[in-house]
């Protein structure tokens, strides 16, 4: 069954059955979203304006896999290319990917060139902590290092 997912910018997510157009489920996940969701495999990723990554199951049964704060605001859409996912906040760009777990293992962190951004900031530490938590919950190995 084809299952499109509609993610309203006010935090309401709807799953529909494509052949019939019937609503399968609708949930308010909360928050405000400027970026678009991205579906990869059995998960949907979307970053809210506060910089929290929402991860939902891409199935006909609603399930929130988790919410992972990046430590600073974001209005970006996750990008996926060559087995990696890229997440951008106001001052940072993070690439996750590679390994046996697909893009769920962290492979790098790149300071984003924004005025006043600081690659060694507390938000960078919060970013690393958030993704380690996500990786621990998905039981994937992780490596995390600055890319310079």
């Amino acid at each position: 069954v084809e299952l499109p997912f509609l993610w309203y910018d006010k935090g309401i997510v709807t799953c529909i059955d494509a052949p019939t157009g019937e609503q399968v489920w609708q949930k308010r996940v909360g928050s405000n979203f400027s970026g678009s969701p991205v579906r990869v495999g059995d998960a949907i990723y979307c970053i809210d304006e506060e910089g929290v990554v929402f991860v939902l199951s891409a199935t006909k049964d609603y399930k929130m896999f988790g919410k992972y704060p990046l430590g600073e605001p974001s209005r970006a859409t996750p990008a996926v290319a060559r087995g990696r996912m890229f997440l951008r906040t106001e001052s940072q760009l993070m690439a996750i990917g590679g390994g046996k777990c697909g893009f769920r293992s962290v492979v790098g962190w790149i300071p984003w060139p924004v005025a006043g951004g600081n690659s060694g900031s507390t938000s960078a530490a919060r970013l690393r902590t958030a993704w380690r938590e996500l990786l621990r919950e998905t039981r994937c190995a992780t490596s995390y290092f600055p890319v310079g």
Side-chain angles (χ1 to χ4, degrees):
V1 173
E2 291 288 324
L3 296 172
F5 295 86
L6 312 172
W7 200 302
Y8 180 52
D9 61 357
K10 299 297 182 197
I12 298 170
V13 182
T14 306
C15 173
I16 62 170
D17 180 86
T20 67
E22 297 287 322
Q23 180 177 304
V24 177
W25 56 259
Q26 184 176 64
K27 298 288 182 184
R28 175 154 177 72
V29 296
S31 206
N32 293 310
F33 296 82
S34 290
S36 298
V38 174
R39 180 177 176 171
V40 179
D42 63 350
I44 302 168
Y45 299 79
C46 198
I47 307 171
D48 75 3
E49 292 178 357
E50 298 299 315
V52 177
V53 179
F54 286 69
V55 186
L56 304 179
S57 174
T59 63
K60 59 193 276 184
D61 297 315
Y62 171 80
K63 180 176 181 183
M64 171 80 70
F65 287 140
K67 299 178 190 178
Y68 305 93
L70 299 178
E72 62 186 35
S74 175
R75 289 190 170 37
T77 296
V80 180
R82 297 185 180 187
R84 289 185 169 82
M85 180 179 284
F86 298 88
L87 303 169
R88 185 173 59 84
T89 65
E90 286 184 341
S91 69
Q92 299 171 63
L93 175 65
M94 182 176 191
I96 51 177
K100 295 179 181 178
C101 296
F103 61 82
R104 287 195 175 118
S105 57
V106 175
V107 296
W109 164 78
I110 305 164
W112 189 250
V114 173
N118 179 356
S119 64
S121 69
T122 303
S123 62
R126 286 189 295 231
L127 181 73
R128 287 191 291 271
T129 301
W131 279 103
R132 284 187 181 128
E133 181 182 323
L134 169 62
L135 298 171
R136 185 172 37 256
E137 289 180 17
T138 57
R139 296 180 183 87
C140 291
T142 179
S143 60
Y144 195 93
F145 54 91
V147 176

